[in-house]
Each structure stands twice: as structure tokens, then as C-alpha cells.
Amino acid sequence: MLESANAGNAELKPTLRWESNLQIQQNMGDWGSTTLELYANQYDDYIDIIPLPGGGESQGNIDSAKLYGIKSDSTINLDPIGWEGVRIDLDFTFEESRINDPLTGVERAFSNQFDRRANFNLRHDIPDTDWAWGIGVQYNHVLPSFRLSQVQRNYEGPTYTVGFIEHKDFFGLTANLQVFNMTDGRAIFYRTVYTGLRDSSPVLFNESRSLSVQPIFRFQITGNF
């Protein structure tokens, strides 16, 4: 098995990034607003873990890398359909990346990249009352990270949920009770370790963990005392 400790690299250069993007904004009047962004990044001297002559690994430069993505951020009011006081906030990001693996030369995505993200939040301020409630869902997808002798994924969720209830005149203050992780989002870890270089060696062992995060309760009072 190779040691995974980093060696130094005096020739490491900073990454240069060339960005291009197109952003479209749309005001939907009483319905709210939405923003859509398309973007593409070109990297020169991208930094990743590379093999060193004589063995070992270190941060080093790869000639080029690419990333493409689409991002959206929307606020939607449901008053026009009769559900007064309800607002939905929705955002998502989808990304694709390309880099030639410095060990195998085969094209792959960036290490440890959050390539899919989405958030959905609904808030209802109940008309003619001081009460509000809401729910939310958060999703993250993380790609594996690569070293010379191992591949691993380390992430949480991938889905978290939240709910809250709020009173906006609690003795002149705002009281908010929130419950996070109502659907058992977890801390997840996978790792495959090879006896040597991962492109030419058998698997030494696989490791996996799935730990419960447990619900988190938060009671918050805000305002001017």
C-alpha cells in the first residue's frame, strides 16, 4: 500500500481561470422573479493530486480543465392562485467538469465536486395573524475524490429537511422553533484503498460508514429588548 502523505512541490503554479457566463433575469410581477445563469470555466494549470517521480504524491498542476454549469434562483408567490401569504424560494445548480486524471490519463470529473445542489423552501405567513410556518428540503450530491492509492466519498445528507413554526408577537418579539433533519439525513463515508497505484493494483480493503446526524432543534427569539 502506498503512503498517502503529501510531498512538497516547489514548482506548483497558481491556477488561471477564464470565465464566461450568461445571466437571464425575469420579473414575473405578482408571481415573483427568477434568475437563470449559464456558465463555463476554462482552467490552466489546474491543481490536483499528482504522482511524483520516484513515488509519492503532491499537489501539482494539470495543463487544463473545464467546468460547465447551470444555476437558477427563483422566488414564487402563490397569492395569485388564492394561497395568500405563501412564498416559495427555489434554487438549483447542475455542473459538469472534465479533467484528465494525472495517474491514468482517463477523463473524469473534479475531485470532491458538488455537482448537484438544490434547495426548496416554503413559507406561509398566515393572513390576519402573527403566525407563520414553513418547510424546506436541501439536496447535495458530491463526487468522489482521488488519490494515488484510494478513492473516497465523504458527504452528508444527501437530503436534509427542515420545518419551523413562528410567532411574530411573542411579548413584542419574534419566536421561532425549528426542527432540522426530520427525515434522517446522514453522515456518509465510502473509501476504496488499493495495495498500490489504483490503476494497476488490487483492492486492499473497502470502508463505509453511515452515521445518523439526528434531528436538531433550535428555539430562537429575536427583536429589540
Side-chain angles (χ1 to χ4, degrees), residues 1-5 56-57 149:
M1 174 182 170
L2 292 175
E3 295 294 331
S4 59
E57 63 182 26
S149 62

Side-chain angles (χ1 to χ4, degrees), residues 104-137:
T104 67
V106 177
E107 190 175 75
R108 63 164 170 83
F110 293 174
S111 281
N112 203 40
Q113 179 193 359
F114 283 78
D115 66 330
R116 304 286 186 268
R117 300 185 294 273
N119 292 284
F120 169 91
N121 293 285
L122 181 149
R123 178 184 174 94
H124 185 196
D125 290 279
I126 302 173
D128 304 319
T129 76
D130 293 316
W131 290 96
W133 65 274
I135 56 173
V137 181

